[in-house]
Amino acid sequence: MATTTRSLATTEAPWIRYTLTTLALALITLLLIVPLLSVFYEALHQGWQLYQDSLLESDALAAIKLTLIVAAISLPLNLVFGVAAAWAIAKFDFKGKSILITLIDLPFAVSPVVAGLIYVLLFGAHGWWGPWLAEHDIKIIFAVPGIVLATVFVTFPFVARELIPLMEAQGSEEEQAALVLGASGWQTFWHVTLPNIKWGLLYGVILANARAMGEFGAVSVVSGHIRGMTNTIPLHVEILYNEYNFVGAFACASILALLALATLAIKSYIEWRTEQQAAEDRKHATEE
Amino acid sequence: MTSLRHWAVALALGSAAALSHADTTLLNVSYDVMRDFYKDYNPAFSKYYEAKFKDKVIIQQSHGGSSKQARSVIDGLEADVVTMNMATDIDAIVEKGKQINAGWDKKFPNEAAPFSSLQVLIVRKGNPKGIKDWADLTKPGIQVVVPNPKTSGNGRYTFLAAWGAALKQNGGNEAKAREFTQALFANVPVLDAGGRAATTTFMQRQIGDVLVTFENEAEMIAREFGRGNFEVIYPSVSIDADLPVAVVDKVVDKKGSRKAATEYLSYLWSPEGQEIAAQNYLRPRNAAVAAKYAKQFPAIKLFGVADFGGLKAAQKKFFDDGAIYDQIAADIAKKK
Amino acid sequence: MKFKQHSVLPGFNLSLGYSMLYLSLIVLLPLAALISKSLGLSWAQFWATVSEPRVVATYQVTFGASLLAALINLFVGLLIAWVLVRYPFPGKRFIDALVDLPFALPTAVAGIALATLYAPNGLLGEPLEKLGIKIAFTPAGIVLALTFITLPFVVRTVQPVLEDMERELEEAASSLGATRWQIFSQVILPTIFPALLTGFTLAFARAIGEFGSVIFIAGNMPFKSEITPLMIISKLEQYDYLGATAIAVVMLLVSFALLLLINGLQWWMAKRLGRRK
């Protein structure tokens, strides 16, 4: 967008622009920046040393590691699902589509507490498959697989939901053209669809990633809270907070905020690289 | 691909090697407030155990709300021992999960509760509202911070303490006790989900004139928020909160860790265990240790949960859905 | 009418089949376990549990506050997305990154941070208190927490659509003499409307189930500021799994119905728009 020159036809009078921008920034400040700063203030107001110590403590490191592992497993699963579901829903017309979309939305509406509970009902000692699992000494809940499942559940809709409106708005004329020109289904997907949806896809993944790392309620039910073993960062934050170790709690919380900002930085970098690439391609094209 | 396989083999061998060397590992599933105590107790026990049995023991800790932790054990969290704040939580594991055998409270002295605490009143510095006893909490204009009895054992003990104190004052008149307790809960501005959240509301947010919580929590508040910021008031009478422990039979039999688990809990009654408890402001059972720390544990009149026919009966009468606490909450909401 | 309308695009069976399988394993099966568990109650017991006055009061608080928060975000989210896509200003990338913060912060941390800020002795709570506005530990606190938690939804669903929109349409409309407001309401708004509605739906759905952040700022007073998930927790606290699943099932059914309604509406509108094209 940075490259487009704006004609008056497609933008507003300057005073409207300034008013809207100011209003948006004011709201963001009030709703986002102030709470964010308060997290960092609480984490740092007793000095850098204490902040550093809280993060390098072994339980905190174990929690950070577990959180990254869980996100790394659950994200690709939901990514593949999201693309498949969006393809089916946005590119085709079939009966029961609204019901399918609604079912995809459902994990958002399920209270995190319940999201944890349902896996307990399935895999818990008295759940559907609990006795069988115990017999074979397979641990699902109160171990990493349970934490992954709960995380997959709460981040389930993100990618699909991000892609569906986008792919619907784009329609399927370009894909049809590619097919008519002889491209295979996969070629069409890789070279036509994917470039068109990449931003939506990226947003979806980033949101799912942030949520996966920050999820508390559902994970709390299936974790077992074994210190240094099954605590993710949010659970570790709760423990520290309940120990009245506010600095430690907010220090770990700030890590999550930083992780989210880091993923966004990566996104910005990719965006920037793509723009550069596009500009270069254009240059080549004109030279030839 | 081959490197991946190598890696997998190495991992499998590594974990097998780790298993053959394995020291005994115990998982202690406990509740929130016990963290500080076990932080001191676990190394002391490990040292003792190693000296006595020439064997290493590693202790893993899990903390959370007492009932939530009990639910995790019921649902399959493989705890070797549970250390809870209410006997009803261990009873629930006996009944719903069947991982602990009935009669757990007979396996150790003092009904398997190695120490106890009681409910005290915490007021602002200088006690500006002049709060001396339970009756002062029912006065109009006083704000009382307590955790929610529906979601917190701490809150349930507070309710029972107030109810019992009112019963004593009114010669056992239940209607009066109910009126009194209702007046007290009508003065509650915020019902936090747990005891620690209630403390934060009182100390950090500066809401309320008085906080009702465990005696050992008062010490924690002093350590974390500074001693000069509040005063502890001992009411004329309070409730004796026994903090029970149990070995999880099903798990220790499966793992073969019964000996270590039983040692771990028994050692709580040793002079060293009792001393660590006293240092964490938990009232010890050992007479010698109690005498040594008498100064920090003022003697006040106590009544036990036995006065309510045991915790299980109390839970049913007061805290189950639709029971007295719910009725009181509904009456308060109607009047407001 | 056939199950599926004809299309030249491939991959329908594969993508739908895979989606259904994954959906069944991760979402439907566990939810079936939930519903099956609640069937352990007789109908009379079930009804008594879910229609208890205190529980009914929590439905009002939960659904009311969620609706309000989603409505607030409909406007705030559109505004933020619009400004981020259309107007240049310094620090834009940073602000863009910040929008996802509510997801990344554990909800409990969000609740604690908001309670700290808006408590009567907090940075923002104190001046507001002087104006006679109380936020923390009142129902307004619930709306605030939910607004924060669900802020990214509308922004992030509208933003990609706005970015992809072709400016030619607007230019064409403008050259035909449309005013800026006409272009916005008749060209831009219809294009982004499905995304707006999606964002609104997701925000609303997410708000209904939220627990971690609300619990720290709500005050949790019976009949006034108790939310439905708290009722589930308090049932579990009594080891009443059946009662807990009963309330969970009611929440699930209501959310499902609401989501279905909004999604159906959206599908119907998309179809109408499609015909008009």
Side-chain angles (χ1 to χ4, degrees):
Chain A
M1 302 139 280
T3 52
T4 46
T5 41
R6 262 159 248 272
S7 75
L8 239 163
T10 56
T11 192
E12 287 72 39
W15 70 268
I16 298 183
R17 270 190 280 157
Y18 292 135
T19 317
L20 289 181
T21 311
T22 313
L23 192 60
L25 288 179
L27 283 167
I28 286 174
T29 307
L30 213 60
L31 276 171
L32 295 173
I33 296 181
V34 175
L36 179 70
L37 288 181
S38 80
V39 169
F40 281 98
Y41 171 77
E42 294 285 340
L44 288 164
H45 79 289
Q46 289 186 26
W48 177 253
Q49 192 57 41
L50 201 57
Y51 178 79
Q52 210 178 341
D53 292 348
S54 325
L55 292 180
L56 293 178
E57 185 241 346
S58 70
D59 290 343
L61 287 176
I64 293 171
K65 198 174 132 199
L66 179 63
T67 303
L68 293 176
I69 291 174
V70 169
I73 302 174
S74 45
L75 280 186
L77 290 174
N78 281 341
L79 174 67
V80 173
F81 161 76
V83 174
W87 179 267
I89 289 168
K91 302 285 183 190
F92 300 93
D93 251 331
F94 56 92
K95 273 192 196 171
K97 202 180 197 175
S98 307
I99 295 182
L100 182 59
I101 298 179
T102 307
L103 287 175
I104 293 174
D105 286 345
L106 209 51
F108 276 148
V110 173
S111 184
V113 181
V114 178
L117 185 65
I118 54 179
Y119 289 105
V120 171
L121 293 177
L122 278 184
F123 303 111
H126 307 280
W128 282 4
W129 301 319
W132 187 88
L133 291 169
E135 232 167 73
H136 295 78
D137 217 14
I138 302 170
K139 280 189 195 163
I140 303 272
I141 53 168
F142 308 123
V144 177
I147 299 174
V148 170
L149 274 176
T151 307
V152 167
F153 184 90
V154 294
T155 57
F156 186 87
F158 278 103
V159 177
R161 270 329 224 135
E162 199 65 44
L163 290 183
I164 293 169
L166 184 63
M167 281 165 79
E168 271 174 351
Q170 286 171 348
S172 52
E173 284 84 1
E174 287 185 39
E175 280 87 356
Q176 286 172 5
L179 287 167
V180 169
L181 291 172
S184 78
W186 282 114
Q187 281 173 330
T188 309
F189 176 76
W190 280 111
H191 298 293
V192 178
T193 311
L194 207 55
N196 275 336
I197 60 168
K198 63 177 185 243
W199 295 131
L201 196 66
L202 206 59
Y203 279 136
V205 171
I206 285 167
L207 286 190
N209 180 53
R211 183 96 171 78
M213 295 193 294
E215 174 53 22
F216 169 77
V219 170
S220 158
V221 178
V222 295
S223 130
H225 300 97
I226 306 170
R227 217 174 162 132
M229 287 180 71
T230 61
N231 276 332
T232 59
I233 303 179
L235 299 182
H236 193 62
V237 170
E238 189 211 18
I239 286 186
L240 294 172
Y241 191 76
N242 274 340
E243 282 176 358
Y244 305 129
N245 180 356
F246 300 126
V247 169
F250 281 104
C252 285
S254 74
I255 284 295
L256 285 167
L258 287 175
L259 282 172
L261 292 178
T263 47
L264 263 292
I266 296 169
K267 185 205 107 187
S268 299
Y269 175 75
I270 300 172
E271 246 172 5
W272 177 75
R273 277 298 302 261
T274 323
E275 273 165 27
Q276 295 264 307
Q277 193 67 44
E280 228 157 80
D281 288 350
R282 241 176 283 134
K283 222 167 95 190
H284 280 294
T286 46
E287 273 165 13
E288 276 166 24
Chain B
M1 199 59 210
T2 39
S3 70
L4 193 71
R5 204 172 304 141
H6 278 264
W7 188 74
V9 169
L11 195 74
L13 285 177
S15 57
L19 274 179
S20 64
H21 275 251
D23 308 310
T24 314
T25 307
L26 293 180
L27 174 59
N28 176 5
V29 171
S30 189
Y31 65 102
D32 269 328
V33 177
M34 277 295 118
R35 207 164 278 136
D36 301 278
F37 169 74
Y38 285 109
K39 226 183 235 169
D40 298 342
Y41 176 78
N42 289 346
F45 171 75
S46 295
K47 220 168 123 192
Y48 155 80
Y49 190 86
E50 207 181 329
K52 191 172 170 193
F53 298 100
K54 306 281 169 265
D55 193 10
K56 272 207 171 134
V57 61
I58 297 163
I59 293 144
Q60 294 171 340
Q61 281 293 145
S62 165
H63 295 282
S66 190
S67 312
K68 189 180 170 195
Q69 292 291 79
R71 273 201 315 280
S72 292
V73 173
I74 291 171
D75 289 325
L77 179 60
E78 297 200 324
D80 298 87
V81 299
V82 288
T83 50
M84 295 294 170
N85 75 2
M86 288 199 136
T88 36
D89 291 325
I90 300 183
D91 286 333
I93 302 175
V94 174
E95 283 161 25
K96 314 251 166 186
K98 307 206 168 19
Q99 286 101 336
I100 296 177
N101 299 335
W104 58 271
D105 50 344
K106 303 284 174 291
K107 294 204 180 131
F108 295 98
N110 313 103
E111 293 180 320
F115 29 70
S116 67
S117 194
L118 50 88
Q119 293 286 346
V120 296
L121 313 177
I122 291 174
V123 297
R124 305 250 171 244
K125 190 180 177 182
N127 196 359
K129 298 278 166 98
I131 288 159
K132 293 267 171 301
D133 207 349
W134 294 105
D136 297 319
L137 307 193
T138 62
K139 286 181 185 156
I142 297 286
Q143 288 198 317
V144 187
V145 175
V146 298
N148 193 341
K150 299 290 279 189
T151 56
S152 152
N154 190 331
R156 286 193 277 273
Y157 274 123
T158 298
F159 183 98
L160 291 176
W163 184 280
L167 270 188
K168 294 251 169 333
Q169 243 148 40
N170 295 298
N173 185 330
E174 291 242 323
K176 284 264 169 61
R178 181 178 170 141
E179 210 174 281
F180 181 87
T181 317
Q182 180 164 336
L184 190 157
F185 274 85
N187 282 343
V188 175
V190 174
L191 275 171
D192 281 299
R196 294 258 153 139
T199 302
T200 306
T201 298
F202 184 75
M203 296 303 298
Q204 288 273 84
R205 317 253 180 274
Q206 294 285 313
I207 288 177
D209 304 303
V210 52
L211 168 75
V212 189
T213 194
F214 289 124
E215 183 182 33
N216 62 312
E217 273 294 276
E219 171 59 18
M220 281 309 302
I221 298 170
R223 284 183 200 171
E224 300 296 334
F225 294 92
R227 274 167 216 283
N229 290 328
F230 66 95
E231 286 174 24
V232 180
I233 305 286
Y234 281 84
S236 60
V237 55
S238 187
I239 192 163
D240 182 21
D242 289 328
L243 309 171
V245 300
V247 170
V248 184
D249 297 288
K250 212 168 158 185
V251 175
V252 294
D253 288 344
K254 187 177 156 198
K255 280 175 62 182
S257 55
R258 180 177 285 280
K259 188 189 84 180
T262 310
E263 278 294 328
Y264 179 74
L265 293 186
S266 301
Y267 196 65
L268 289 169
W269 276 268
S270 72
E272 191 185 10
Q274 293 282 295
E275 181 119 16
I276 295 171
Q279 282 159 8
N280 282 282
Y281 282 71
L282 294 158
R283 295 198 169 204
R285 304 290 188 192
N286 182 304
V289 177
K292 185 176 164 192
Y293 288 87
K295 226 190 262 167
Q296 71 186 41
F297 296 121
I300 65 166
K301 255 191 260 166
L302 291 175
F303 54 88
V305 290
D307 292 15
F308 300 93
L311 264 183
K312 218 186 276 181
Q315 169 71 32
K316 204 167 161 209
K317 180 175 175 186
F318 296 108
F319 307 119
D320 273 358
D321 283 344
I324 292 176
Y325 172 71
D326 277 355
Q327 295 163 15
I328 285 177
D331 284 348
I332 292 170
K334 237 177 269 161
K335 277 189 192 148
K336 269 187 184 169
Chain C
M1 191 172 142
K2 278 190 303 183
F3 167 64
K4 176 192 155 226
Q5 307 255 298
H6 178 74
S7 166
V8 294
L9 292 185
F12 176 73
N13 290 336
L14 177 69
S15 60
L16 187 72
Y18 177 75
S19 303
M20 292 303 291
L21 178 73
Y22 189 74
L23 180 76
S24 306
L25 284 178
I26 300 289
V27 179
L28 299 185
L29 194 68
L31 290 180
L34 178 78
I35 292 170
S36 126
K37 180 87 182 177
S38 74
L39 294 179
L41 290 169
S42 74
W43 173 246
Q45 287 169 316
F46 182 91
W47 184 248
T49 306
V50 302
S51 65
E52 206 194 310
R54 181 145 171 206
V55 178
V56 172
T58 69
Y59 299 148
Q60 288 167 358
V61 172
T62 299
F63 287 101
S66 302
L67 191 66
L68 209 55
L71 277 174
I72 292 172
N73 272 335
L74 193 63
F75 292 100
V76 174
L78 174 61
L79 174 68
I80 293 175
W82 181 264
V83 169
L84 279 177
V85 172
R86 295 277 167 129
Y87 304 148
F89 58 90
K92 185 157 141 171
R93 289 242 154 112
F94 175 69
I95 298 289
D96 193 0
L98 265 190
V99 171
D100 292 331
L101 182 79
F103 283 149
L105 270 192
T107 51
V109 175
I112 293 164
L114 289 174
T116 309
L117 284 172
Y118 287 91
N121 69 340
L123 187 67
L124 299 171
E126 205 169 342
L128 285 172
E129 178 105 347
K130 280 191 190 119
L131 298 172
I133 305 168
K134 276 188 183 167
I135 295 199
F137 313 115
T138 70
I142 303 178
V143 176
L144 176 72
L146 294 178
T147 306
F148 176 84
I149 290 296
T150 59
L151 180 76
F153 281 110
V154 176
V155 182
R156 291 305 192 217
T157 44
V158 171
Q159 201 174 3
V161 179
L162 266 183
E163 264 168 22
D164 270 25
M165 237 172 79
E166 283 154 15
R167 291 289 175 88
E168 286 81 2
L169 271 178
E170 289 171 51
E171 275 160 18
S174 164
S175 65
L176 291 173
T179 65
R180 198 58 201 147
W181 175 248
Q182 283 172 326
I183 295 174
F184 178 78
S185 61
Q186 288 175 25
V187 177
I188 301 174
L189 207 55
T191 315
I192 60 171
F193 195 78
L196 262 180
L197 206 55
T198 303
F200 173 83
T201 313
L202 296 183
F204 180 60
R206 171 87 174 79
I208 291 170
E210 176 54 20
F211 177 74
S213 61
V214 174
I215 217 71
F216 286 98
I217 200 173
N220 309 314
M221 298 309 289
F223 297 96
K224 253 177 66 195
S225 51
E226 276 185 332
I227 53 169
T228 312
L230 182 66
M231 291 292 104
I232 298 177
I233 300 270
S234 104
K235 295 270 179 210
L236 286 175
E237 200 72 12
Q238 300 161 47
Y239 303 100
D240 181 4
Y241 283 68
L242 291 174
T245 53
I247 297 178
V249 165
V250 169
M251 279 183 83
L252 191 69
L253 292 180
V254 176
S255 317
F256 182 76
L258 282 169
L259 289 174
L260 192 63
L261 188 79
I262 301 174
N263 284 330
L265 187 73
Q266 195 174 335
W267 175 80
W268 177 77
M269 281 190 329
K271 223 172 158 167
R272 253 188 46 166
L273 274 174
R275 284 221 187 98
R276 223 171 53 189
K277 264 185 206 165

